[in-house]
Amino acid sequence: MSDEDDSDVEAKYFKEISDEIQTLKKNPETSGMFVSGWDDADQDVDLVKDPKANPIDHVLWAAEHNKLDTLRELLVAKPGLVHSRDSDGYTPLHRAAYSNHLDAISLLLSFGAKVSSKSELGWTPLHSACNWNNYHIVARLLAAGADPAAPSEGVQTPLHLASHLSHCKSTLLLLLLREDLVEVARKPNNSGETPEQLARGHGIYAPLFEMVSPASSYVSSLAFTCNRYLQTNK
Amino acid sequence: MLEEVIVSSRPDRVIRKKLKNPGDYTIVPYEDSRCKIKITNLACTNHLGKCEIEPESKVFSTNFDGNVLIGDSDFFIDKDFELILQQMCSGETCEVNMVYRDGSGELVKEISCDVELKEVTEEQLISDWSWERLMEASIHHKEKGVELVKEKRILDAFRRFSKALKMVVAIEPIDPEIIDEEKAVAITDLKVKLYNNLAHCQLQYNEYEAALDLCNRAIKYDPENVKALYRRSLAYTGLEMYVEAWADIQRVLQITPAEKAAVQQSRHLKPIIDRINEDYSSVVKKMFS
């Protein structure tokens, strides 16, 4: 094979990747993968000009960049800002979740941020955290009552998003340790893929799904294994 | 102004909490966290008025010492109560309400109280546990389960074994750089024991398909495992797959000829298998006569 051939192959390969990226960007379910550094940089520039001109953008920016003092000041002055949203419906909690800022998450929760708030595409902050394997955030959001089975517009649950990552073990363990995800692990999204199938296709962590195998998770003749009052009624 | 939140909801029981006093939002209990709590204003009612909370409950017993280790409760009410603690912050006080219904939707019990989470030890997330710690935790839950089986608390035992299996599976995928062959064998052994114990519990509830699934997993790792073969024979019998049941029990008897339960199972299957063989030979006769 000559060098020329190689570069041709390479060029073709790059074209494929770039086409793939374009398709993923257009697909609302996967476009979240491209919350790019460029966008952030643009926002910074805008905000540095006059961040206080728009408190909504300011609070979103502070959450995304872990500016805790700013965040606290803004929220003390105007507690309602905790429910701010950007044009995609992301709240400060979403921003802090995908940026992996645990302190900002705790602060926002203490100001009453809602873990169940959904973006335009139906993503909760837990979706955002799972999509990036930000497992400390995942644990904190679950402790605040976030629903690991909440479906997005594309019927993706946070478990689906964690499962499609190649480096997802930390998040998967937190989710699969729970007792309420046996069904969700087998629930298809809009593309007909279950979290277990996604994990099999995207990495080496599919064996972890044995943690939620039905036979080892519940006794099915007792609809809910733990409530004794159901047993005595049978 | 503070709203009630649903901690967990199923048709048979709903758990709610309402914040009274916020705590430190940076400290929350995770698996294995030690919590110091205080319960006040405890009430338990049903449609007739006041009633007793179950005697097996530790959290709601009169001699409760205020300590809860997250993930280490056995009784279902205590486990449900843990779910509440897992949605509280250190220092928080909240109003708790737990409603239980029976299969027909009748109210059986409504427990309400105030809970103060006074102290929480901060724990590593399970994702950061070493494989040794996961193994140790798995063995702990398995041993607790074995005790519960002895006490005939099969469901509580099942949940312990289930947790133990989660912990040992969490070690996957096994990295030969960290876990040498000998340790990998110990991990597999533990898994096989857990499959067997889970299968035993499933069989107590006539859940033959689940038991079959579990025994198959055990036998895949250890084809000569007598307990797994014996329990699979019971599961096949339950599913009326007598030929398979017979094969398994004969295999058991080859390995341990004197095993009483196996001899009994074999005796039970013998007439059924003879009839099947008779039917078969008569069919063959008809075919070739």
Side-chain angles (χ1 to χ4, degrees):
Chain A
M1 210 188 258
S2 75
D3 287 342
E4 212 182 324
D5 281 341
D6 270 351
S7 63
D8 268 6
V9 170
E10 224 164 74
K12 202 176 157 225
Y13 186 53
F14 279 127
K15 168 123 185 32
E16 267 175 30
I17 291 180
S18 108
D19 287 350
E20 173 80 4
I21 291 176
Q22 288 314 315
T23 343
L24 288 172
K25 271 192 176 170
K26 274 179 212 148
N27 178 351
E29 283 296 332
T30 44
S31 61
M33 289 161 71
F34 303 94
V35 188
S36 76
W38 296 109
D39 293 345
D40 298 351
D42 286 349
Q43 267 169 16
D44 285 359
V45 172
D46 278 352
L47 285 162
V48 170
K49 274 184 201 159
D50 189 6
K52 285 174 190 164
N54 183 343
I56 291 179
D57 284 347
H58 199 187
V59 79
L60 289 163
W61 172 86
E64 182 164 345
H65 297 275
N66 208 27
K67 305 290 183 204
L68 298 175
D69 292 338
T70 312
L71 202 52
R72 192 176 290 109
E73 264 170 44
L74 286 163
L75 293 172
V76 167
K78 215 174 168 196
L81 281 176
V82 79
H83 307 301
S84 304
R85 286 167 179 277
D86 66 14
S87 53
D88 296 322
Y90 279 50
T91 64
L93 203 59
H94 286 88
R95 295 271 185 109
Y98 68 66
S99 315
N100 206 10
H101 298 315
L102 186 59
D103 292 336
I105 295 279
S106 299
L107 185 63
L108 288 162
L109 290 172
S110 75
F111 278 91
K114 286 208 163 56
V115 287
S116 57
S117 53
K118 288 195 165 186
S119 72
E120 293 293 315
L121 297 169
W123 279 33
T124 63
L126 186 61
H127 283 87
S128 299
C130 284
N131 194 46
W132 298 96
N133 194 29
N134 294 342
Y135 65 101
H136 285 103
I137 309 292
V138 170
R140 187 64 192 85
L141 290 172
L142 289 173
D147 179 7
S152 72
E153 293 292 314
V155 201
Q156 304 263 40
T157 67
L159 183 60
H160 282 90
L161 294 178
S163 306
H164 91 271
L165 296 179
S166 55
H167 295 288
C168 57
K169 182 168 179 180
S170 306
T171 298
L172 275 187
L173 286 189
L174 291 172
L175 294 173
L176 299 180
L177 184 66
R178 295 171 66 100
E179 295 188 349
D180 56 359
L181 288 179
V182 180
E183 276 80 22
V184 183
R186 280 154 197 84
K187 200 172 125 189
N189 60 16
N190 260 3
S191 332
E193 286 179 301
T194 68
E196 194 169 0
Q197 287 164 339
L198 286 168
R200 218 174 289 137
H202 290 84
I204 56 170
Y205 297 119
L208 294 176
F209 277 80
E210 195 180 0
M211 290 170 78
V212 287
S213 83
S216 68
S217 300
Y218 51 60
V219 179
S220 67
S221 63
L222 311 169
F224 304 103
T225 299
C226 34
N227 184 349
R228 173 208 277 187
Y229 308 126
L230 286 170
Q231 293 166 245
T232 47
N233 208 253
K234 286 248 163 188
Chain B
M1 180 196 142
L2 293 170
E3 48 187 319
E4 198 169 55
V5 277
I6 292 178
V7 171
S8 174
S9 169
R10 292 192 317 231
D12 66 311
R13 70 113 175 82
V14 182
I15 307 172
R16 299 182 184 85
K17 70 165 235 193
K18 196 168 161 185
L19 191 64
K20 284 186 95 172
N21 237 324
D24 177 350
Y25 281 80
T26 62
I27 305 174
V28 293
Y30 295 129
E31 183 77 15
D32 245 13
S33 284
R34 274 170 206 286
C35 302
K36 245 192 168 353
I37 63 166
K38 193 175 165 197
I39 298 174
T40 46
N41 297 332
L42 180 59
C44 179
T45 53
N46 59 21
H47 61 285
L48 296 170
K50 269 193 166 183
C51 64
E52 291 278 299
I53 303 177
E54 306 298 334
E56 290 99 322
S57 168
K58 286 197 176 137
V59 173
F60 293 119
S61 75
T62 44
N63 53 10
F64 174 59
D65 62 1
N67 293 306
V68 177
L69 180 60
I70 299 292
D72 209 45
S73 299
D74 281 312
F75 196 55
F76 71 98
I77 290 177
D78 294 353
K79 284 182 95 74
D80 287 342
F81 184 79
E82 265 189 24
L83 294 177
I84 300 165
L85 295 180
Q86 285 178 280
Q87 291 193 16
M88 288 177 75
C89 318
S90 182
E92 171 180 337
T93 305
C94 69
E95 236 173 83
V96 165
N97 176 265
M98 303 160 85
V99 176
Y100 290 92
R101 294 177 189 282
D102 66 15
S104 52
E106 286 292 310
L107 176 81
V108 183
K109 213 152 268 193
E110 176 167 357
I111 302 169
S112 58
C113 61
D114 290 349
V115 180
E116 183 188 354
L117 182 54
K118 295 165 79 174
E119 269 174 50
V120 181
T121 58
E122 286 182 89
E123 262 312 315
Q124 261 187 332
L125 291 174
I126 184 172
S127 324
D128 295 327
W129 290 12
S130 66
W131 77 267
E132 288 98 340
R133 182 167 177 190
L134 287 166
M135 184 85 175
E136 204 178 293
S138 177
I139 292 168
H140 166 76
H141 289 299
K142 174 180 150 281
E143 283 169 358
K144 289 277 181 182
V146 171
E147 282 169 32
L148 290 163
V149 170
K150 286 182 191 147
E151 292 169 32
K152 304 253 184 301
R153 288 170 62 178
I154 303 296
L155 272 186
D156 294 342
F158 179 85
R159 296 184 88 191
R160 281 285 187 177
F161 295 140
S162 176
K163 178 71 134 325
L165 185 69
K166 277 178 193 271
M167 294 285 182
V168 72
V169 168
I171 300 173
E172 295 277 349
I174 290 173
D175 179 357
E177 298 275 308
I178 304 169
I179 301 173
D180 63 30
E181 217 169 295
E182 196 183 319
K183 289 169 187 154
V185 169
I187 291 172
T188 309
D189 281 355
L190 180 57
K191 266 194 209 172
V192 169
K193 282 186 186 133
L194 289 169
Y195 294 140
N196 275 335
N197 294 352
L198 285 161
H200 171 75
C201 297
Q202 292 282 13
L203 284 171
Q204 305 301 304
Y205 291 95
N206 302 335
E207 289 293 337
Y208 302 116
E209 273 174 45
L212 177 60
D213 177 11
L214 291 158
C215 292
N216 279 337
R217 285 191 237 167
I219 291 164
K220 206 175 116 195
Y221 284 118
D222 183 3
E224 302 278 273
N225 191 290
V226 177
K227 274 190 187 170
L229 288 164
Y230 169 70
R231 283 174 191 157
R232 191 167 73 173
S233 177
L234 296 182
Y236 275 135
T237 308
L239 294 167
E240 299 179 20
M241 297 166 74
Y242 298 111
V243 177
E244 291 84 353
W246 180 253
D248 278 346
I249 206 64
Q250 294 316 305
R251 187 83 199 93
V252 172
L253 288 172
Q254 274 173 14
I255 305 166
T256 55
E259 178 62 40
K260 256 193 209 155
V263 172
Q264 210 182 337
Q265 163 75 349
S266 176
R267 265 194 214 133
H268 167 69
L269 285 173
K270 185 81 172 58
I272 305 173
I273 231 41
D274 284 348
R275 202 162 53 237
I276 290 173
N277 286 339
E278 257 168 51
D279 289 353
Y280 180 71
S281 48
S282 74
V283 167
V284 172
K285 254 183 220 159
K286 271 184 207 155
M287 274 171 123
F288 295 101
S289 61

